[in-house]
Amino acid sequence: MSAHEAGALHAEIGHAPVWLRQPADVNTLLPQLWPRTVERGADGVLSVGGRTVRELAEEYGTPAYVLDEVDFRARCREWRDAFAGGEVHYASKAFCCKAVVRIVAEEGLSLDVCTGGELAVALAAGMPAGRIALHGNNKSVAELTRAIEAGVGRIVVDSFDEIDRLTALARARGVRPRVMVRVTAGVEAHTHEFIATAHEDQKFGFSLASGAAAKAASRILHEDALELVGLHSHIGSQIFDTSGFEISARRVLSLHAAIRDEHGVELPELDLGGGYGIAYTSQDTPSTAADLAAGLRKIVAEECGLRNLAVPRLSVEPGRAIVGPAVFTLYEVGTVKDVDGIRTYVSVDGGMSDNIRTALYNAHYSATVAGRASSAPPILARVVGKHCESGDIVVQDEFLPGDVQPGDLLAVPATGAYCRSMASNYNHVPRPPVLAVAGGVARVIVRRETEDDLLALDVG
Ligand SMILES: *Cc1c(COP(=O)(O)O)cnc(C)c1O
């Protein structure tokens, strides 16, 4: 390569982040990024569950979230089997609608909710109340009342105010809700790093270090109206290894042992929360549910052995890891703009209203032209939305074919978690539908919002 050619190449890819490799072929789908039935046909068109994205776009419009039902069910089963003997709660805040709750129930999982709204969807979908756990740092009296009247299986208590409130409600109704104590263990994990501290400066849970968690457990154990079944911890999100869980499990089990020593009670359960990472780009290498389960079991067994404790029944609460990889968002390209030879801005017909994670967390995503294959050389592109914010970015950096053009369909994988559930109507853009596809059949499980929906709320 001549110096000139090298310079040209450098200009072309010079602004790509170091981890982003120019692919040998922009048409290739990396298996870890896509739901398992997605493939690129001989004509270059992506299909999922036996339907092409062209058919889906024509029939249902874009943007749309597309759920691969076979993939989603398989992930539910993998988690359930990996934690056989324990309990897997799907964290519904990642994405919650009736169809998804029904699938989760059919596949034998339990469900976490953290508001009255999520609880309403779960109950409407027919999830047995005994398999629902209610979380949250500020559950209202109405939410707690509804939860105990419905008979939810667990309430994860988060403050002394809540213990008082729940005690009063339970006494008034003559019921005895099962509760867990949310413990803050001073471990905060995010993606590839975690920090372990002695202090716990955050809104969730009872501090282990200050003694608040021990006090909360003690108060509940002395309160007939509540049944303490275990301790709960949740350390963060998009975590790739078990080292953060190891520290938090050891710390939480130290309290578990202290409760036995002080009160003579071995709590039957232990909940290690969610936060298991998924692949958003080629650089992410998530573990399988089976590997994670083996790692967590080993840590818990070791620690229990050291402290002479019976191993409690283990539960986990994956949200993202179950639904995230099962969904991609299908957009249509509206404009393509080359900016100073630095990169190409590819604008799609959605944006931060259907995926706020890039703007909110500086998240990285991937993308591919979905309606055709291309032999054009790759260009460094940024996929942006149609909103009135320059931070309205969907995919920060991706190599797309140099002939990407208006009218192309573009698919962004791994959008199942925290995209539709965090969607907004910013700029009065109606929220996209969610389609479930399997066996050659697509069905709308959440319909597209319309301008009439928006105006219906606007009663002034
Ligand atoms: C958010 C949350 C989860 C799910 O987190 P994921 O990253 O989606 O796995 C589980 N448990 C609790 C308490 C949470 O707050």
Side-chain angles (χ1 to χ4, degrees), residues 150-210:
V152 303
R154 306 270 182 290
I155 296 175
V156 182
V157 296
D158 200 282
S159 65
F160 290 110
D161 291 325
E162 185 186 347
I163 294 175
D164 294 343
R165 214 173 272 162
L166 192 57
T167 303
L169 289 170
R171 277 201 198 130
R173 282 164 184 75
V175 292
R176 189 162 185 251
R178 282 186 293 180
V179 302
M180 299 189 95
V181 168
R182 174 140 179 190
V183 175
T184 313
V187 180
E188 209 182 317
H190 191 70
T191 310
H192 297 280
E193 290 152 32
F194 73 91
I195 350 167
T197 56
H199 64 86
E200 295 134 4
D201 186 8
Q202 58 140 314
K203 73 170 185 171
F204 289 111
F206 294 93
S207 159
L208 194 69
S210 74

Side-chain angles (χ1 to χ4, degrees), residues 55-378:
E55 290 166 348
L56 297 176
E58 215 161 277
E59 214 163 309
Y60 304 101
T62 56
Y65 302 98
V66 184
L67 173 93
D68 178 346
E69 190 173 331
V70 166
D71 184 87
F72 181 62
R73 285 185 184 273
R75 285 176 203 280
C76 289
R77 285 196 287 269
E78 283 157 16
W79 279 89
R80 184 198 62 198
D81 294 348
F83 285 92
E87 202 167 356
V88 178
H89 290 252
Y90 168 66
S92 71
K93 72 181 191 210
F95 175 58
C96 183
C97 69
K98 288 187 290 181
V100 153
V101 171
R102 255 183 242 122
I103 293 173
V104 163
E106 282 166 20
E107 298 299 344
L109 271 58
S110 301
L111 195 80
D112 275 3
V113 298
C114 52
T115 62
E118 287 174 359
L119 179 59
V121 175
L123 295 173
M127 174 60 85
R131 282 160 61 189
I132 299 175
L134 176 65
H135 292 259
N137 68 302
N138 185 18
K139 306 173 193 78
S140 67
V141 170
E143 287 169 328
L144 290 170
T145 303
R146 190 170 191 183
I148 58 177
E149 284 180 352
V152 303
R154 306 270 182 290
I155 296 175
V156 182
V157 296
D158 200 282
S159 65
F160 290 110
D161 291 325
E162 185 186 347
I163 294 175
D164 294 343
R165 214 173 272 162
L166 192 57
T167 303
L169 289 170
R171 277 201 198 130
R173 282 164 184 75
V175 292
R176 189 162 185 251
R178 282 186 293 180
V179 302
M180 299 189 95
V181 168
R182 174 140 179 190
V183 175
T184 313
V187 180
E188 209 182 317
H190 191 70
T191 310
H192 297 280
E193 290 152 32
F194 73 91
I195 350 167
T197 56
H199 64 86
E200 295 134 4
D201 186 8
Q202 58 140 314
K203 73 170 185 171
F204 289 111
F206 294 93
S207 159
L208 194 69
S210 74
K215 204 170 135 199
S218 173
R219 192 182 292 181
I220 296 167
L221 285 167
H222 286 108
E223 178 49 70
D224 285 344
L226 306 178
E227 179 185 355
L228 181 63
V229 295
L231 303 177
H232 174 285
S233 76
H234 171 75
I235 61 174
S237 60
Q238 189 59 359
I239 305 162
F240 283 90
D241 65 28
T242 49
S243 42
F245 290 101
E246 176 158 2
I247 296 181
S248 74
R250 288 193 197 288
R251 290 182 178 174
V252 172
L253 283 166
S254 74
L255 175 59
H256 190 97
I259 290 169
R260 175 203 50 197
D261 297 344
E262 193 181 336
H263 302 277
V265 177
E266 279 203 41
L267 299 175
E269 299 182 11
L270 176 70
D271 192 319
L272 294 177
Y276 314 99
I278 64 166
Y280 287 105
T281 72
S282 57
Q283 73 165 355
D284 298 325
T285 50
S287 308
T288 62
D291 286 349
L292 278 165
L296 295 182
R297 278 188 212 281
K298 182 162 170 277
I299 292 162
V300 172
E302 259 173 34
E303 195 61 24
C304 288
L306 289 172
R307 298 180 182 276
N308 200 20
L309 290 165
V311 175
R313 184 160 186 259
L314 205 58
S315 47
V316 288
E317 307 171 334
R320 182 193 319 266
I322 293 181
V323 77
V327 175
F328 63 85
T329 309
L330 188 63
Y331 297 103
E332 186 180 301
V333 174
T335 65
V336 176
K337 200 184 279 184
D338 175 42
V339 177
D340 288 344
I342 298 173
R343 74 174 108 241
T344 299
Y345 281 81
V346 175
S347 298
V348 294
D349 50 355
M352 63 192 295
S353 58
D354 60 71
N355 186 350
I356 191 66
R357 293 192 63 260
T358 307
L360 192 58
Y361 305 121
N362 191 31
H364 289 279
Y365 281 90
S366 319
T368 193
V369 168
R372 65 187 174 94
S374 169
S375 53

Side-chain angles (χ1 to χ4, degrees), residues 430-448:
R431 289 174 293 178
V434 184
L435 315 174
V437 191
V441 178
R443 63 190 170 114
V444 177
I445 57 172
V446 179
R447 75 158 167 81
R448 184 183 300 284

